[in-house]
């Protein structure tokens, strides 16, 4: 079983819909990152979380340390949000970095 | 401020050769991390350098090595290339902390093809 699991693997939605991507992990962590990767490979860091909730524009990320779970929400989704979203954690035991397999999001106009 | 730059952007090598990839971090950033991305394994952490010292290392064989120079620029080297080394190699820089402490700024990547 992977130490970091994301769901769903693929998601297609209509423009304007509220999007939720989930990340569950099974290890103790120091921090969790949400990354966005567009076709062509470039990766952008969206959030770094160790507790609570963060908001940036239409994006909201939450983390529940006790439940070992994080969510990334996109409000009023837009076709330009189409990308792969990757959850990654830094393990607090040995500082290793583990990535989820990613969620491929496609927003239809 | 210029972003993270990686050279070359594309590279084709044959099995058994070695390759060196370069990463220039954002000015003022002292931490550089390297990652490998393949369709099968996804993103995997290779290593992190800070102040010319390797501070953290993933689970890759010794054929993968790196170094960091006094200006924080970093290189990674892969010796005796195998077909499975074909991948997108990404570097990321941050101000001082590693992955668990600072936001990471990623470069565009070097796409390596091993024939």
């Amino acid at each position: 079983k992977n130490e970091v699991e994301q769901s769903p693997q693929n998601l297609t939605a209509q423009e304007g819909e509220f999007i939720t991507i989930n990340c569950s992990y099974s290890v103790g962590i120091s921090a969790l990152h949400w990354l966005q990767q567009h076709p062509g490979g470039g990766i952008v860091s969206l959030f770094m979380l160790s507790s609570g909730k963060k908001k940036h524009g239409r994006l909201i990320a939450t983390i529940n340390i006790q439940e070992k779970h994080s969510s990334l929400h996109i409000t009023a989704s837009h076709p330009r949000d189409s990308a792969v979203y990757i959850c990654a954690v830094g393990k607090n035991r040995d500082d290793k970095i583990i990535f989820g397999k990613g969620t491929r999001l496609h927003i239809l106009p | 401020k210029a972003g993270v730059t990686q050279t070359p952007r594309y590279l084709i090598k044959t099995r058994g050769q070695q390759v060196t990839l370069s990463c220039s971090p954002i000015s003022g950033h002292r931490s550089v991390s390297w990652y490998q991305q393949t369709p099968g394994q996804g993103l995997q952490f290779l290593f992190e350098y800070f102040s010319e010292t390797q501070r953290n290392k993933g689970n890759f064989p010794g054929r993968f090595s790196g170094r960091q120079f006094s200006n924080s620029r970093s290189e990674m080297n892969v010796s005796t290339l195998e077909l499975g080394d074909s991948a997108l190699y990404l570097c990321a820089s941050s101000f001082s902390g590693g992955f668990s402490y600072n936001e990471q700024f990623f470069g565009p990547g070097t796409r390596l093809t091993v024939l």
Side-chain angles (χ1 to χ4, degrees), chain A residues 6-21:
Chain A
Q6 284 186 238
S7 64
Q9 285 187 314
N10 295 283
L11 179 56
T12 299
Q14 290 293 139
E15 182 174 357
E17 285 190 41
F18 182 82
I19 302 298
T20 295
I21 299 170

Side-chain angles (χ1 to χ4, degrees), chain A residues 30-33 35 37 40-46 48 86 88-91 94-101, chain B residues 9 35 37 40-45 48 56-59 88 90 99-108 111:
Chain A
S30 302
L32 181 145
H33 291 247
L35 308 172
Q37 185 171 32
I43 292 180
V44 174
S45 175
L46 298 175
M48 187 180 79
I86 301 167
V89 303
K91 295 168 65 175
D94 55 12
D95 215 23
K96 298 304 179 194
I97 301 162
I98 309 295
F99 293 88
K101 295 295 186 188
Chain B
R9 293 292 310 279
Y35 305 89
Q37 186 176 37
Q41 298 296 319
L43 269 166
Q44 296 183 89
F45 170 69
E48 184 219 348
N56 196 359
K57 186 178 186 304
N59 298 324
L88 180 66
L90 293 149
F99 185 86
S100 293
Y101 304 99
N102 281 144
E103 180 182 4
Q104 303 288 298
F105 293 83
F106 286 82
R111 189 164 296 280

Side-chain angles (χ1 to χ4, degrees), chain B residues 53-102:
Chain B
T53 301
Q54 188 180 87
R55 187 160 65 175
N56 196 359
K57 186 178 186 304
N59 298 324
F60 277 80
R63 299 186 299 107
F64 292 82
S65 63
R67 59 177 174 167
Q68 187 179 34
F69 301 95
S70 59
N71 62 357
S72 295
R73 189 178 71 85
S74 177
E75 289 181 346
M76 69 161 279
N77 183 276
V78 187
S79 62
T80 319
L81 283 166
E82 301 176 0
L83 294 179
D85 297 332
S86 294
L88 180 66
Y89 290 88
L90 293 149
C91 82
S93 74
S94 64
F95 181 65
S96 61
F99 185 86
S100 293
Y101 304 99
N102 281 144

Side-chain angles (χ1 to χ4, degrees), chain A residues 25-68:
Chain A
Y25 51 92
S26 57
V27 295
I29 69 168
S30 302
L32 181 145
H33 291 247
W34 281 103
L35 308 172
Q36 180 193 56
Q37 185 171 32
H38 280 284
I43 292 180
V44 174
S45 175
L46 298 175
F47 296 102
M48 187 180 79
L49 296 160
S50 54
S51 66
K53 175 180 176 179
K54 288 189 177 180
K55 184 175 189 289
H56 184 228
R58 296 181 295 106
L59 302 177
I60 302 166
T62 64
I63 188 168
N64 185 317
I65 297 296
Q66 286 73 30
E67 294 187 4
K68 291 187 163 63

